[in-house]
């Protein structure tokens, strides 16, 4: 039906009957709790037992996908592991195990992320994400400029895609982006976090530094993958 490489998930439609879905749980496992990974990579099932190595908050995968919880396991990376059902000690499913998000690490994509991504894939065949059409990198502001801006860092605009939302808003190469929609940005991940699907089509105030002066523009968030779109 669709796929989302940024969360390493795909939605498949199967012509089958009598399939019983696993009981999912949104309970947060603690480090040290047992986890069983179950898959069928070939003609026979495969199982692997491990523990939760680390449990933390929301994070951004390297491709920009939002994962609702960092659930790291002690599972070894092995063929057929990605896509395994991760089951806790109570028998309830904790999510889907994947080795495709962080190299050398097996993580569990939790049910909250699965539900959100599956809804988007079923509706659109992909996960829609907002974009501005800029490439940025973090910079530290000088003391005087930081005092005027009210923050120590910003995102320097190194390129602006033609006909993109950023270009139409008047954002220029060399501008330093301080905030978008009232939220300060100092790292590229900060900007990605502000460009979720629900922001598409929304006009946001962009606070910038240009030629040493703090200014404000209005940029309407576009949809990544639309004509002229691609970068954040």
């Amino acid at each position: 039906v669709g796929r989302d490489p940024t969360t390493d998930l795909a939605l498949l439609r199967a012509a089958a009957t009598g399939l019983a879905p696993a009981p999912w749980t949104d309970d947060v496992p603690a480090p040290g709790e047992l986890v069983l990974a179950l898959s069928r990579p070939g003609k026979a099932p495969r199982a692997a037992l491990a523990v939760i190595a680390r449990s933390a908050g929301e994070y951004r995968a390297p491709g920009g996908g939002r994962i609702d919880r960092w659930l790291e396991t002690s599972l070894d990376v092995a063929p057929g592991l990605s896509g395994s059902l991760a089951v806790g000690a109570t028998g309830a499913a904790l999510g889907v195990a994947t080795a495709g998000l962080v190299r050398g690490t097996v993580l569990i994509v939790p049910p909250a992320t699965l539900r959100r991504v599956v809804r988007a894939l079923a509706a659109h065949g992909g996960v829609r994400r907002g974009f501005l059409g800029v490439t940025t990198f973090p910079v530290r502001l000088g003391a005087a400029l930081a005092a005027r801006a009210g923050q120590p860092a910003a995102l320097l605009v190194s390129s602006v895609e033609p006909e993109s939302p950023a270009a139409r808003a008047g954002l220029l190469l060399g501008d330093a982006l301080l905030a978008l929609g009232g939220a300060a940005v100092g790292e590229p991940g900060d900007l990605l976090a502000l460009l979720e699907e629900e922001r598409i089509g929304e006009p946001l105030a962009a606070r910038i530094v240009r030629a040493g002066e703090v200014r404000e523009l209005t940029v309407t968030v576009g949809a990544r993958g639309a004509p002229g779109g691609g970068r954040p």
Side-chain angles (χ1 to χ4, degrees):
V1 176
R3 65 188 183 93
D4 178 32
T6 71
T7 54
D8 198 31
L9 295 173
L11 178 63
L12 307 179
R13 181 177 288 115
T17 59
L19 302 179
W24 298 94
T25 178
D26 287 302
D27 292 343
V28 178
E33 289 191 25
L34 292 175
V35 59
L36 183 67
L38 300 166
S39 64
R40 191 182 180 99
K43 294 183 179 180
R46 181 184 185 278
L49 185 64
V51 298
I52 298 295
R54 183 182 173 214
S55 179
E58 179 184 302
Y59 69 98
R60 289 276 166 182
R66 176 166 61 94
I67 313 295
D68 290 75
R69 190 155 192 89
W70 177 280
L71 294 174
E72 182 180 342
T73 75
S74 63
L75 288 162
D76 291 329
V77 177
L81 175 73
S82 280
S84 297
L85 182 68
V87 180
T90 65
L94 303 173
V96 171
T98 174
L101 292 179
V102 177
R103 184 182 296 273
T105 303
V106 178
L107 303 172
I108 297 174
V109 181
T113 306
L114 298 175
R115 286 191 288 266
R116 187 180 68 251
V117 173
V118 165
R119 281 196 299 266
L121 295 180
H124 310 293
V127 176
R128 300 194 309 163
R129 293 190 174 89
F131 95 108
L132 300 183
V134 295
T135 301
T136 65
F137 61 89
V139 292
R140 302 288 297 182
L141 301 177
L145 187 54
R148 291 201 301 274
Q151 61 190 73
L155 291 176
L156 187 67
V157 176
S158 58
S159 70
V160 179
E161 188 172 323
E163 302 302 319
S164 66
R168 289 192 289 270
L171 208 61
L172 301 177
L173 180 70
D175 287 343
L177 183 62
L178 298 168
L180 184 67
V185 293
E187 297 288 340
D190 298 336
L191 185 57
L192 282 173
L194 297 171
L195 298 177
E196 293 295 336
E197 179 178 3
E198 58 268 20
R199 307 306 286 269
I200 294 174
E202 182 179 349
L204 299 177
R207 192 162 173 259
I208 66 169
V209 174
R210 179 181 295 170
E213 296 182 1
V214 178
R215 306 184 184 188
E216 194 166 289
L217 305 172
T218 299
V219 55
T220 299
V221 180
R224 190 182 304 179
R231 290 177 291 196

